[in-house]
Amino acid sequence: MISPKIVVTGKIPQPGIDLLSTAGEVWAWNQDDPIPHEIRDAQLANADAVVTILTDTVDDAFLTAAPNLKIVANVAVGYNNIDVDACTRREIMVTNTPGVLTDATADLAMGLLLMVTRRLGEGERLIRSETPWKWGMFMMLGSGLQGRQLGIIGMGGIGQALALRARAFGMSIVYHNRNAVDSKIEQALDARRCDLDELLATSDVVSLNCPYSEDTHHLIDAEAMRTMRNDAVLVNTARGPIVDEAALVEALSTGVIGAAALDVFEHEPEVHPGLIGLDNVVLVPHLGSATVETRTAMATLAARNVVGFYDGTGPLTPVN
Ligand code: GLV
């Protein structure tokens, strides 16, 4: 059999490239800047497999440029950047990288939760601005997590891993998910399933851990924020457009909710200018899976999916 041509459209860790090289001839974009479309399309013209990153949009135009394509291996757990139905219609397999980034993303969500409730971003800004300060009994008081309720929207692996961490900090857990999770897991986490309105109305912290889709677009809009407590904290490590960012700016500025911590943005990499000047929001640049170990594991899993596709064992984590 002729060796398949595998195109990698973004820079990924070398172990992923090494593994892909065992399955075919690899062409990889190896710069930090996004691949220009002309270069991408020229490579796609004779690609059999493509390894994508979450900033690639795999839509009809992409697929039309790749007439021989058989598999799209996304190096991300989320695959909202891929038109899966269009791939399925063209009999193209899609894979993602679930599991390997669960701990890193849950760690980041917990970190953001601590940052926002203990006002660590504000503290950093104070010191770095060289503003004179001295210790004060009432200086920059935040709130503790013990005895507070965490409401998790999306109780997949990352939601469960966050619940485990939050339990260690003394929080109680409610969750909203299409299906109930296994009762053993519910018991271990002491987590109770409830409807979205109850979760929003009663939680001290609301964390978004669900996939982004048409169903979750602007799930947290102005009305949802009005349902939340006015001291509630919103944490988003899932996808930006789950939150109506303009409505969030309004809610944070007018005391409709207390604070927010965001790893993802509605029009990423742009951040709503109204968020920049607010002290009650923590902003970080989509770092959920950003550890050396996790990004290496993601690249390796995506590569294994391609290898499995060609050696007949099948991809480990197919989407369609
Ligand atoms: C990161 O956001 C991912 O979906 O892997």
Side-chain angles (χ1 to χ4, degrees):
M1 181 192 154
I2 304 167
S3 183
K5 171 162 175 181
I6 304 165
V7 170
V8 184
T9 57
K11 203 169 167 184
I12 64 167
Q14 190 60 34
I17 301 286
D18 293 345
L19 190 52
L20 287 168
S21 304
T22 66
E25 179 209 327
V26 178
W27 181 93
W29 177 250
N30 63 3
Q31 299 184 32
D32 291 320
D33 286 336
I35 185 170
H37 278 200
E38 324 75 77
I39 298 180
R40 184 199 74 182
D41 288 354
Q43 293 302 327
L44 288 180
N46 55 356
D48 300 292
V50 66
V51 175
T52 51
I53 56 175
L54 61 82
T55 48
D56 289 312
T57 301
V58 181
D59 54 9
D60 260 318
F62 184 109
L63 297 173
T64 303
N68 304 330
L69 198 60
K70 296 282 174 297
I71 176 167
V72 178
N74 207 33
V75 187
V77 64
Y79 47 85
N80 55 291
N81 58 313
I82 298 175
D83 184 341
V84 177
D85 288 342
C87 289
T88 307
R89 279 197 300 277
R90 294 169 195 242
E91 296 184 5
I92 296 170
M93 176 159 278
V94 177
T95 65
N96 68 340
T97 60
V100 291
L101 45 71
T102 299
D103 284 326
T105 309
D107 287 348
L108 188 93
M110 198 66 221
L112 286 177
L113 178 41
L114 287 164
M115 260 188 100
V116 68
T117 53
R118 297 301 300 272
R119 303 173 62 176
L120 302 185
E122 273 181 86
E124 264 265 310
R125 285 191 291 280
L126 179 90
I127 302 271
R128 288 184 188 278
S129 66
E130 299 185 34
T131 307
W133 66 279
K134 55 182 178 328
W135 185 89
M137 183 66 80
F138 296 97
M139 182 189 176
M140 256 186 211
L141 300 186
S143 52
L145 299 181
Q146 298 71 25
R148 302 296 170 117
Q149 177 176 300
L150 171 62
I152 298 178
I153 300 179
M155 196 60 157
I158 297 171
Q160 292 172 30
L162 173 61
L164 187 65
R165 285 152 178 75
R167 289 288 298 149
F169 281 82
M171 300 188 82
S172 62
I173 312 293
V174 295
Y175 73 94
H176 176 69
N177 201 57
R178 204 174 310 153
N179 304 310
V181 303
D182 191 289
S183 58
K184 288 204 190 74
I185 296 176
E186 276 190 350
Q187 274 164 25
L189 296 172
D190 202 5
R192 181 174 66 80
R193 184 167 171 233
C194 67
D195 65 32
L196 184 60
D197 279 349
E198 180 190 338
L199 182 147
L200 292 174
T202 60
S203 297
D204 297 285
V205 179
V206 173
S207 174
L208 303 178
N209 299 100
C210 53
Y212 174 61
S213 67
E214 274 173 20
D215 293 343
T216 58
H217 179 79
H218 282 191
L219 181 71
I220 304 300
D221 58 7
E223 194 188 331
M225 286 182 249
R226 278 195 298 273
T227 310
M228 290 168 66
R229 300 162 49 129
N230 57 22
D231 58 354
V233 172
L234 178 69
V235 179
N236 190 4
T237 53
R239 284 291 183 267
I242 299 172
V243 177
D244 178 342
E245 212 164 276
L248 176 63
V249 170
E250 181 69 15
L252 288 169
S253 318
T254 55
V256 170
I257 68 169
L262 309 174
D263 183 39
V264 287
F265 301 91
E266 185 167 359
H267 304 290
E268 215 168 292
E270 274 154 46
V271 175
H272 193 295
L275 290 171
I276 303 292
L278 292 177
D279 260 336
N280 55 345
V281 61
V282 171
L283 307 166
V284 295
H286 205 149
L287 298 177
S289 63
T291 68
V292 173
E293 301 82 349
T294 301
R295 290 280 163 84
T296 304
M298 290 165 71
T300 307
L301 176 53
R304 283 218 182 96
N305 281 327
V306 175
V307 171
F309 180 81
Y310 284 109
D311 72 10
T313 56
L316 294 174
T317 51
V319 166
N320 60 350

